[in-house]
Structures are given as C-alpha cells and as structure tokens.
Amino acid sequence: MAAGLSNALKTARHRLPSAAVRNYSIPVQQSAWGPATCGASGLDSSSGRAAPLFKSHNTPPVIHSFTQQTRFQSFTQIRKMSSSNSRRLNIDNINPHVRAAKYAVRGELAVKSEEFRAALLRGTSDIPFSQVISANIGNPQQLDQKPITFFRQVLSLLENPLLLEHEDVLINHLGYKTDVIERAKWFLKNVGSVGAYSASNGAPAIRQHIAEFLERRDGFPANWQDIYLSAGASSGVNTLLHIICADEKSGILVPIPQYPLYTASLSILNATCVPYLLDESKNWGTDINTIKESYQKAKDAGVDTRAIVIINPGNPTGASLSEEDIRAVLEFARQERLVVLADEVYQTNVFIGEFISFKRVLRQLQKENPDGKYDCVELASLHSISKGMVGECGHRGGYFELVNFDPEVQAEIYKFVSIMLCAPVIGQCLVELMVNPPKPGEPSYELYEKEYRGIYEGMRERANALHKAFEQMEGVECGAPQGAMYLFPTINLPPKAAEAAAKEGRTPDEFYCMKLLEATGVCVVPGSGFGQKEGSLHFRTTFLAPGTEWVGSIVKFHKEFMDQYR
Amino acid sequence: MAAGLSNALKTARHRLPSAAVRNYSIPVQQSAWGPATCGASGLDSSSGRAAPLFKSHNTPPVIHSFTQQTRFQSFTQIRKMSSSNSRRLNIDNINPHVRAAKYAVRGELAVKSEEFRAALLRGTSDIPFSQVISANIGNPQQLDQKPITFFRQVLSLLENPLLLEHEDVLINHLGYKTDVIERAKWFLKNVGSVGAYSASNGAPAIRQHIAEFLERRDGFPANWQDIYLSAGASSGVNTLLHIICADEKSGILVPIPQYPLYTASLSILNATCVPYLLDESKNWGTDINTIKESYQKAKDAGVDTRAIVIINPGNPTGASLSEEDIRAVLEFARQERLVVLADEVYQTNVFIGEFISFKRVLRQLQKENPDGKYDCVELASLHSISKGMVGECGHRGGYFELVNFDPEVQAEIYKFVSIMLCAPVIGQCLVELMVNPPKPGEPSYELYEKEYRGIYEGMRERANALHKAFEQMEGVECGAPQGAMYLFPTINLPPKAAEAAAKEGRTPDEFYCMKLLEATGVCVVPGSGFGQKEGSLHFRTTFLAPGTEWVGSIVKFHKEFMDQYR
C-alpha cells in the first residue's frame, strides 16, 4: 500500500471515537497471577498438585478489583511476568487487530460490578449498597422480565418430546393449551430434533415463516431463501462484515454513538470504520449531509467505503428514524453504491414515533421507480430474539434478510456460515415463535397478549420514571424515552471533575460512571464506549431494572458528586 | 513483505491439500436466478408484487442440481448477471480470504443430497433410491440417535421453570425422577434463566463443574477460570486461531487428513496452514519426524509457525494417539515453543486403544521435570456436546481449557468472546450435564447408563458392519474401526475411472462419491475434502445411520462402478 494511502487511513481511523481501550481490563482472579513466571515449576512434584497457579477454586468468582492504583500495578506485574517467561504467546505478538478492538459494554465497569456482586454474596460488609444493578447491558431476564409462557411451554416440549406422550397430563394438570402441543408437533415434524444440526443457514420451514412475517410486516413479498438464521444478530453482523470487507481500505459508515459491536468487528477484520455523527439536537436522527461529509472525507483519504450501518431504533439512543430519513439514506446508498446494513433488533421497542423497516421503504422506492434504479440497492436487515418483548438473549437467536444480493455472493455467505455449522436450533425455534406468535382466537392468545403488553408497559413506565429522575438532576439533559431499552443522557460535569478524572487517566464520563458504581452498585456504560461528539459526555443506562430504589440512588449520588466537584 | 518471503509462503500454501473448491456450489433455487439482472425492475409496479426474483416460496426447498454440464452453465449465467449489473458486491470484490476458504463437508455433495431429499418428499418417481442417507456429517440425532432422557428432562424444566410448581405431576404422571428436579433447581439458582446472557466466558458455576470433571478425568487439578464455554468446539477453534494468528506469516501445523474447519478458518484469517501428513500405515498416528520436516520446511520458507493442531481421536480417521505419540508432540512443542491445540471432541468415541488427554500427559511431564522445563508449554484443549454419546450438536455447546497461557493473552480472549456476548446458555447447561451425569445410586443413573451404553454399542456394531462390507469390496482398504464417528477407507480406482473424472473436471474421489450419491442416495465426503497423500484416494463416511440396507447399496454400487470402469 502506498505510504500516502496508509497515512490517510490512519487519519480516517483516528477519527474513530476513543472507545476506551483503558475501559477494558482483566477478568481473572488476582491469586491466579501469583507465581506464574515460567521456568520455575508451579507444581509440587511429589503430588502433581499445584502451587496457586493451578489451584482449583470452588469458591464463587473473585475478580480482581481495579481501583486506579492497583490497576496499573497489576498491569506492570503482568508485564513483568510476560517478559520474563518463554511462553509463545504474549500481548505483544498475538493478533494486533484483536488487541486493538474495544468493547466497553462488557469492559472494566462490568467486570468490577461482577466483583461487587460476588463480594455481596460472600457477605462482605464494607460495601455501601446491598445489590448490584446491571444497567450496562440489555439483558432483560437477568432483571425482572419473565419469559413469555407460550414460548417456553413449546420449548419444553421440544427439549423433551416424550412429554407429548402425556397430552392429557399436559392439558389437565399443567395448563398447556392445545396450540402449545400443536406447535411443538409442527416443529418436531418440520425441523426435527433440536439436538441435530439444521441446514447451515437455518431450518427451511422456519425461514419460510420468517418470510411470511416480513410480508405481513412490510406489505411486500419476501423470499425465504434470502433469509439466514444466526446466533443472535451479532453473529449476523459478523458474517456480513466478513463478506463485505475485502482489505484495510474497505470502509463501513458507522453511526456515532453506536453499539460497539461494529467498531470492534471492524478492528478485528482490520477494515476501516467511517464514523458519522447522529444529531442529538434532532432526537438522534440521521443527518444526510453529515453522512455525505463523512463519506467524502473517507473517499478523499482513499477509503473504499462499501456499506452504511444504520441502527434503527437506535442503540444507545432509542431513536426511530422517520420515513424521510430512511429514504434519504437509501437514495444516498443508491447514488454511491453502498450496501445498507439495517440493524433493526429494537423494532418492537418503540415508544415515540413508529418503526418503519428499511425493506419496506426500499420496496416502496422500487415500486415508485419502474425504471429500476433502486433494484441494485443491496440491503441486509437484521433482527433478533434478544430484545423486544421476547428478551431471550441467552438463547442466541436471530436472522438477517438479504435483498438484491448477488447469488454468487450469497453462495459465499452460505459457505461462511456453514463453517460454524448452524445457529443454535432451539434459538431458531424461538425466532419462529417470535414471528409467528399465537393469533387472536387461539387458546394461548389471551395470556400471550397480556404478557406481551405487560412487558411493554412495564418498560415504558420504568423509562419514564428514570427520565423524570434525570430531569431533576443538575447538568443532566435527556430527551423523552423513545425506544430500545436505553436512555442516553448528556451529563455536564464541572471542570474539577474533569481534572480529577484526568489524574486517574480516565475520561470524565468513565470517571463519573466508576464513581456511580462504587457508590450505588448501579453499572452503566460511559458515552465514550459508544462514541460521542467531541466535548460532550453521556452515559447509557438500560431501564430494565425493576423498582425505583436504584433510580433514587442515582439521584442522590449525582447530587453528592456535583457538590464535591462543583 | 519481501518478494522472497511472499513466494515462499505461496509455496508453503501450495502444499495444502486441494480441498475441492469445485466441491462447493450454490445453495439457491434455480428460479431465484431468473430475471436477476439489475437495472431492469423485477417488480410489477402496479402491486409492488414481484417477478420471480422476489417470489415467495412456500414449497419445500428445491436446490438447483449440479450435474457437471448444468453446473458450468449456471456459473456462466450467474457470471454474466454479475458483470452486467451494478450491485456493489460481487464475487470478485468481496473478501478474497472468505472466497478462498474450502469446506467440503457441507459442499456440493451435501447440497445435492438435500435436493434429492426434497425431490423424494415431492414424490418424484425417477430417483433410483427411496431415501437419502446423510453419512457426510456427524449429526447423530438426524439419524437414529435418541437424546439422553435425563439431559432432556432437565432442559425441559429449564425452558419452562413453571413446571417445577407441579413436582407431584412431574414425578407421578410424567416419570421425572427427583434428581432431575434437583438438578433443574440447581441450574436455576446458580445459572439463572437460560434466556439471559451469562458471563461472556460462560456461567461460573458450570465452569467450576467442568474443572472438577477434568480433575477426575486426568488426576491433576484444573482451574475453572481457565475454562471458556463456546458455541460448539468450532467456535472455540475460531476464537483461538483469531488470537494466535497475527499476520499471514503466522503458521499453524495441521494434520492431513483433517477436519476442514482448520484450513477454512486459516484461509479466512489469511494465515498459513503448515500441513503434516498422518501415517496411514500406522493406523493414522502422528509421526514426529514428519511433523518436524513440515515445520522445518515452513521455517525455511519464512513461516512463523506458532501452534500445532492435533485431532485426537482423529477426524476423519478415528485414531487414538498413544501416550508415546502425545509425549513426542509435547516435547516438540516445548522445543520449538509451539502452542498445542488439542481437539478432543471424540474423547468418548473410542473402540480401539484408549483416550489419553494432552492435559494429563502435559501435567505428567511437568511432574516428572521439577526443573520446570514444561511449564511454558501452552495447551488449549477443546471438547463438545456435539459428539460422543451426547450427540447434541444442534444445541451448539462446548468448551476449551487453557493451560499455561499468559494472563494478558487470556484477557484478550475474554474480550474477543465478549463481543459475541456469550455461548448459548442452554448449550452451556448441556455441557454441565455431560461432565456431571447421574452417578451410581442416583435415581436417574440406571436409565442413563443403559442409554449411554446402548448408543456406544450401537455405534460400534454399525461401524463393524460397515467395515465388514468394505473388506469385501474390490480395491477398498480399511483398517478396523478405531473411534470417532467415521471410517476413512482407501479406494483404489481403475485408470478409466480417473479419466472419466478428469473429463468432468473432478478428482477421482469426488467423481466416485458423486456417482455413489446419484445411484444410492448415500452422501459421503471425498478424501480430497480433508486432504490426503498425493496419489491416494479415500472417502469419509459416518457409521451413524441405522439399518443395513444402505450398506448393501454401497456394496452393490461399488461392484457396478468397478465393472463399468475396470
């Protein structure tokens, strides 16, 4: 690669949000680092039993605490070990692209919160709170959300089909409705054992039902053969980026703020992230001129931008795009021949505005333009069982639909997913249940509808309560809850706080979030983990946690923090 | 990279088995390729309804048949479409490393077998067999293997914990034993909802039980914090290769024949495969001198070989390594500072010899050498719920254990897996059940033991029946079944068969396997998909399919094939 281009790429990359590499730390127990120098045996030679290096731990996980001081001590300590041993792999010779990847959602704060949780379980008394609230990640069932009964009843029969030999017991003693039993039989006939591999791109019968769902949702036909089941949407994103990115010049437009899956995956692939800022002043919508500017800058720097990522509704922002914004993006994609990656996993988590799919608008544009000028716009849209009212993220299910993709490229996508064999089959079944839930009049409908509505209303109420609290907090600005599972308030912190943060080698938002965790047990993610406009500070919190006590503790903490640093 | 090194790498890569890129084909319906040229609308503008390109298919999947002639016609046809359209992505500009990857286990033959299956379902009458036998992939539950009752009973309760409110019904009407209920409660208490994300490297409570299993198995301590749950062993291999391979000079020693996950993953990572031949004359064991030669050649070519892959018991060979062979590999790894990747997913599928883990031998070597010279040998060993008597591949569960790895490197592994959030939690629970099954004296033990033994004996019987058939076949040589789920016979084909194959652009083994499929419905994988010594020909077949009819049909086909080409 020419030096000029190489420098240009560096520049383009430099524009990336400084998603905190320092946010990331080591999830291992301190004692495991003890006598780990190599060359001196860690084994008691008489028994083969080990010194602490090999010690078997039956106690709950104790994760090393990273206060600022011990953190750097620990790194120094590890470093010393690494350089004095003769292991083949060390931090300086492993894959540099993995090393460069940043993923703050499960970074230092998350690790520390788990440490607090373990300490509370052990009954440690000097912790100023009684529970840890994991508001850092959209993990509904870890918090209050109950799974939907119909879904889980069907899955119980798929896991143990022998139960179907006792239909009377299921119905008369266990409250299973007949449609639960019928659905389970349909799966067993059309998908087979959930313990067997399916086709690499997913069970055909399930893909057909997804296509029917998309037809109902969008009012346009869908082809089941263009649908690929995946282990959550993350796995789908991984597949698509692997196909699209050919080399380090390959660029992908990514919204800022963004869910860091995108920047982390691009880092691992050694491709180029081309960031474009969302417009906070317009409810975090897309601004087509901003996108065009980012694209042009990257082009001038020699980047071969190939695709644009849109997260709609937004993560971390919750914003739903208007049809006008979607049209503008599709028109731009057409002009510049960009693949559109529409991450639509929050499509049912909408409180303000409405969800409009990219597929629907693209088909509408095709319909309005019989000259066929939109027929070559390639769209991949992703959905998931992890979010919405389903909230089954532990089951790792999702799918993506390809529109207007080249058949030869699709064959390569099929090959790529076949190397990992197939998505978890029980997760595939949950995708089917999500897109094909009980219908009005069917025996399980009433309960399903009640549970679904209850989850939706519960989320909205908690979002509003949290929003109300933020409105009372000095220096905090937060628009009304729009959707997804998150609020992403701006925090205006006093200069003294920024100074204290700098002393600890942290950004002010990281510093604030760490202090919040240490004081209240509430774990949130600093805005720097998603990217934010220079000079602005945010944090992302889910509104999934039940109760109001934790919200009160945030308000109290914030007041004390401001008093201390004002 | 210097031109000399670049050429050397090409040479090193050239030594790769010619795992058939041509074996790979397009899993899409022919009709979907119809009017796919872009620029001319595929839409009926009055309705937004589509021409065939967008047609919704509710019929079973019909996959385009690739006889040799239509195959090339089809590719030409696609090619024309690709070049005449203005889609952004085409086969020539996507990720070239994905394109270069080969994965024959689910390639052309598998696709064609699914097409036959669909045609039989539709009642097509001109097919010379009545069922398709998928002997191409170890997918036990697609064939005869029943899941283990205890496992599935526990999973049914994890999917629907509300059933635990009816313990009496479970016990008195549905035959659940008390230990099923106790185990389910343990999971719900220690892991939580299977619908929630776990820790990225897996639920701590499950990792602790895996460590205890490893201690029992090997007689040496294991540290639960060095254990990482994964979505099947494939995902674990993907993680480890991502960490180890830093650039295209990074080399990995891979056995030939091998399960093509390794070569495919290295291709995608653009790293270098350093193949070493297994010794068919010694029951497919490792020959340390052959390994040393391969290593030296790669070194001379400028390859930075960092790790050695061992598949034990072997895939596709079934061979179990002796302790002597394992010691030799570990000693070589120590000398050359190679990470050892021990793929041990078939550890319970052993008919001849015994399974000895790399971990046990490494710890034994450490014990015997108090000077600590083995303390820096880094070992990653992988296991899975997909194989063995568990056979739950559709649930995508597995784990790997790291031994002697640098803590900083482990932190990067943790970060890497956290980007995809976590392995499927129900699959994690199956890993726990696999390593911690009912014990003698517990209520479910008797049935568990009976089922487990039944599956094992059934596999052995079918392997022996198949082997006996191979012994009768002219020009076929096959050692006694050793383990895994496969036989890998040598086939000596007449020159006329090789000529006929060449005319179709196929290797002789591909040609033979295609003819076998077309005549009998039995789908196997040609040896070229795994790599084989130049001049030798093989195929891999599972011995999972029930009944003897399919074995008879192979014998009959072979005789006719030999008569035709002799």
Side-chain angles (χ1 to χ4, degrees), chain A residues 220 364 366-371, chain B residues 41-51:
Chain A
F220 288 97
Q364 191 63 40
Q366 286 183 273
K367 190 173 163 180
E368 292 165 10
N369 291 274
D371 62 352
Chain B
S41 175
L43 278 171
D44 169 348
S45 62
S46 66
S47 64
R49 283 261 151 199

Side-chain angles (χ1 to χ4, degrees), chain A residues 220-290:
Chain A
F220 288 97
N223 182 348
W224 69 267
Q225 291 167 304
D226 295 328
I227 290 164
Y228 296 72
L229 276 295
S230 59
S234 298
S235 165
V237 168
N238 181 57
T239 297
L240 292 163
L241 293 179
H242 259 91
I243 296 290
I244 297 171
C245 299
D247 55 32
E248 56 189 322
K249 283 188 299 178
S250 300
I252 309 284
L253 279 155
V254 172
I256 298 299
Q258 53 110 29
Y259 177 56
L261 164 67
Y262 293 95
T263 40
S265 302
L266 290 172
S267 173
I268 291 169
L269 275 162
N270 193 26
T272 300
C273 175
V274 181
Y276 67 90
L277 283 173
L278 299 175
D279 189 347
E280 185 166 7
S281 71
K282 290 180 184 164
N283 285 332
W284 294 111
T286 50
D287 181 282
I288 197 68
N289 292 323
T290 306

Side-chain angles (χ1 to χ4, degrees), chain B residues 484-495:
Chain B
M485 298 178 163
Y486 313 108
L487 292 182
F488 193 63
T490 291
I491 42 175
N492 298 295
L493 300 180

Side-chain angles (χ1 to χ4, degrees), chain B residues 44-120:
Chain B
D44 169 348
S45 62
S46 66
S47 64
R49 283 261 151 199
L53 176 59
F54 309 124
K55 196 171 161 195
S56 166
H57 302 278
N58 292 312
T59 47
V62 183
I63 295 154
H64 178 58
S65 166
F66 290 95
T67 61
Q68 192 56 21
Q69 201 185 8
T70 60
R71 190 168 54 149
F72 287 114
Q73 282 176 343
S74 304
F75 270 105
T76 314
Q77 188 190 346
I78 297 174
R79 220 39 190 281
K80 224 163 128 190
M81 283 156 40
S82 298
S83 59
S84 69
N85 73 31
S86 60
R87 289 188 182 102
R88 183 50 179 267
L89 300 180
N90 61 58
I91 193 69
D92 294 320
N93 70 7
I94 58 166
N95 188 335
H97 309 304
V98 171
R99 189 179 169 188
K102 290 147 198 153
Y103 190 71
V105 174
R106 294 199 157 200
E108 181 190 2
L109 279 149
V111 168
K112 182 153 191 179
S113 75
E114 290 306 323
E115 179 201 345
F116 277 130
R117 196 190 307 276
L120 287 169

Side-chain angles (χ1 to χ4, degrees), chain B residues 370-506:
Chain B
D371 61 353
K373 71 175 182 174
Y374 284 95
D375 291 4
C376 284
V377 176
E378 293 142 278
L379 168 68
S381 55
L382 299 111
H383 196 11
S384 163
I385 58 171
S386 299
K387 310 301 172 186
M389 273 41 80
V390 182
E392 294 279 6
C393 45
H395 275 104
R396 314 306 301 120
Y399 72 85
F400 57 89
E401 183 194 18
L402 300 180
V403 180
N404 294 339
F405 269 61
D406 183 300
E408 278 188 308
V409 173
Q410 288 207 39
E412 294 296 317
I413 292 172
Y414 176 87
K415 180 180 69 181
F416 183 85
V417 298
S418 77
I419 296 168
M420 291 288 130
L421 298 159
C422 67
V425 178
I426 200 91
Q428 295 187 34
C429 296
L430 263 168
V431 173
E432 200 281 340
L433 291 163
M434 173 177 75
V435 301
N436 192 18
K439 293 177 190 61
E442 292 177 354
S444 294
Y445 177 74
E446 200 180 332
L447 178 63
Y448 166 77
E449 170 63 16
K450 189 179 154 212
E451 290 176 338
Y452 189 92
R453 201 164 7 95
I455 295 168
Y456 179 85
E457 294 299 343
M459 270 199 259
R460 185 153 70 172
E461 278 164 27
R462 275 173 267 171
N464 285 334
L466 191 58
H467 177 246
K468 210 169 154 185
F470 287 155
E471 282 192 317
Q472 299 166 6
M473 283 157 55
E474 177 190 354
V476 172
E477 297 162 38
C478 186
Q482 298 190 74
M485 298 178 163
Y486 313 108
L487 292 182
F488 193 63
T490 291
I491 42 175
N492 298 295
L493 300 180
K496 263 178 73 182
E499 285 159 25
K503 271 189 203 147
E504 293 196 3
R506 293 183 194 279

